[in-house]
Amino acid sequence: MSNYFVTTSIPYVNADPHIGFAMELLYADVLARRARQLGDDVIFSTGADEHGGKVAEKAAEAGLAPKAFADQISERFRDLCQLLNVSSNRFIRTTDPGHEQRAALIWKSLKKDIYKGKYIGWYCTGDEAFVTETEAKANHGICPNHNRPYEKIEEDNYFFKLSKYNQKILEAIESKEFNIVPETRRNEVISLLKSGLEDISVSRHKDKIGWGIPVPGDAEQNMYVWFEALMNYITVLGYPEHQDFKNFWPADVQIIGKDIIRFHCGVWPAMLMSLGLPLPKQLYVHGFITVEGKKMSKSLGNVLHPADVVKPYGIDACRYYFLRHVPSYEDGDFSWDRLAAAYNNELANELGNAVQRTVSMVERYQAGKTGELPPADHDTSAYEEALASCRFDKAIEDIWEQVRGLNQYIDEEKPWAIAKEGDADHLREVLAYQCSSLINIAELLEPFLPDTAAKIKAVFKGDEVQPIEGTLFPKHEVKNDTVVAN
RNA sequence: CGCGGGGUGGAGCAGCGGCAGCUCGCGUGGCUCAUAACCACGAGGUCGCAGGUUCGAGUCCUGCCCCCGCAACCA
């Protein structure tokens, strides 16, 4: 028995949760549940990133104070875990007093790598925003929105010596001490690191970004939101003094989307190194999800909320789709047709029916008695390997091989024919194998479909089958569930 | 010359040097324990285009075309 720590990224609370983040929660949940199943002590943290200009802006639009606005949205992220039966046991908000205090503490500890520098950039007073050097050049020094020249502005900021750790990070990644999966992401990061990291500005002027954690000892500056948000992965454990931190860091797996890879493969490791802490053991980078082939966007009105997906077929069906039919190592697509097909063919017909026919035969031929069950004989190494490398889709495929194998077995053995012949011993043997196989399937399924696994296990618990009321996955008529517009 | 991913039967994908494979859909047959479910067999692809390396290329190299993301300090 050991300790296991898995994290999701903490979503920015400028908008409601959508299925992209739901997927990330599911990935983490599978790992957490699997670890628990193997007897580990698990901390599974998620949370909300709540500071920064954009939240302040959205709050103002809603006529709320930033904190009140953040309260509202972060609550929706918290609810998401329940909606999806996600077993996270820590929810950290960057506005938690604990996080704020610890962030200040961390800043002080990082001080040796923080220096005051000048941020120089092109600024448009019309947009009240900086533009990049390239953009300024592309527009020939004139803001196209306001038709006035950009001003060159200098601003005092604190900088973090990211460049100092460039080489060490590269080494940690190449040696897999800090293991990034999938490989393509790892290669991407390596080439990024080889091209060199520059020091980054890690604070903002208070009058520019007022909603943030103050830089200790400088009333004029707030911490740059990203810098501070990354700290959540250790403040959630009570860094530096809490026992949880001592027991659970480094994280076993951190899960992020591909858009924030730079922060997690550059800034974050550098911060840890500066603090003298080990890097996470593994970073899993997932892709994005489209809806019916299109990128989700408000203007298209196709933003899909997790609740919409759960509604028609239930939580486990939703989990199943995201975990199996969205490729773990690539971008994926959500489609109602494919969800319906997966539900009917795989969950109802193959798995549900395998349970049903087994139960029915045990009842019919053996008055519900199962007798002694043989031990599981399925080779789980492919499954284990898939989970270790976060290939959730492959892991489920491996389970389904067993499901299909069971249906084939039943058709080959023909228990109904054996019953007719009256060979009771042989029949008992065959049916016992079926039950045992289903129990094993349930075991492997638990991290992915916890409710379904529990139901199957309940059926074969004693030496007498306990039929499920109704069916495991009732067949649905094809409904016209269109994407809910927003 | 910003970075990356991808183009394989109707759909979704695997294969990454040695007879082109899986799931769905479609067709035929079998079975009757089961949620009109299950099982078997079959049709369907010149593996984006053009060159090259090789005894042999979806698989390696070069060039081109087409999709899709990311980045440009918003987090």
Side-chain angles (χ1 to χ4, degrees), chain A residues 239-256:
Chain A
Y239 174 83
E241 84 291 354
H242 200 284
Q243 200 56 41
D244 282 345
F245 176 75
K246 290 165 189 154
N247 292 340
F248 286 87
W249 190 260
D252 292 88
V253 183
Q254 297 205 254
I255 302 179
I256 62 166

Side-chain angles (χ1 to χ4, degrees), chain A residues 136 186 195 207 210 278 448:
Chain A
R186 181 168 168 266
S195 75
D207 26 322
F448 297 89

Side-chain angles (χ1 to χ4, degrees), chain A residues 82-156:
Chain A
Q82 206 168 0
L83 176 77
L84 297 166
N85 196 10
V86 162
S87 65
S88 58
N89 49 14
R90 296 286 164 97
F91 190 90
I92 181 155
R93 302 178 55 188
T94 56
T95 54
D96 287 337
H99 174 79
E100 294 187 344
Q101 286 158 19
R102 293 175 196 284
L105 215 67
I106 292 169
W107 180 283
K108 286 180 201 156
S109 304
L110 292 171
K111 203 109 196 204
K112 66 173 195 299
D113 288 322
I114 292 176
Y115 61 93
K116 213 160 190 179
K118 280 203 194 312
Y119 177 79
I120 301 168
W122 298 98
Y123 190 80
C124 172
T125 46
D127 288 325
E128 291 185 35
F130 282 102
V131 297
T132 56
E133 191 72 35
T134 14
E135 192 177 342
K137 213 169 266 173
N139 296 326
H140 308 290
I142 293 163
C143 174
N145 299 333
H146 300 87
N147 202 24
R148 68 176 88 165
Y150 294 116
E151 291 173 48
K152 192 157 210 174
I153 287 195
E154 286 188 7
E155 179 179 310
D156 280 333

Side-chain angles (χ1 to χ4, degrees), chain A residues 28 58 72 81 92 119-120 124 169 190 193 218 223 228-229 239 242 257 268 308 340 368 407 411 422 425 427 435 485:
Chain A
K58 288 280 168 190
Q72 217 174 70
C81 296
I92 181 155
Y119 177 79
I120 301 168
C124 172
I169 297 168
I190 287 175
L193 288 168
D218 187 338
M223 296 184 199
E228 167 249 302
Y239 174 83
H242 200 284
W268 177 229
D308 300 332
N407 278 323
D411 274 65
D425 286 344
L427 182 60
C435 297

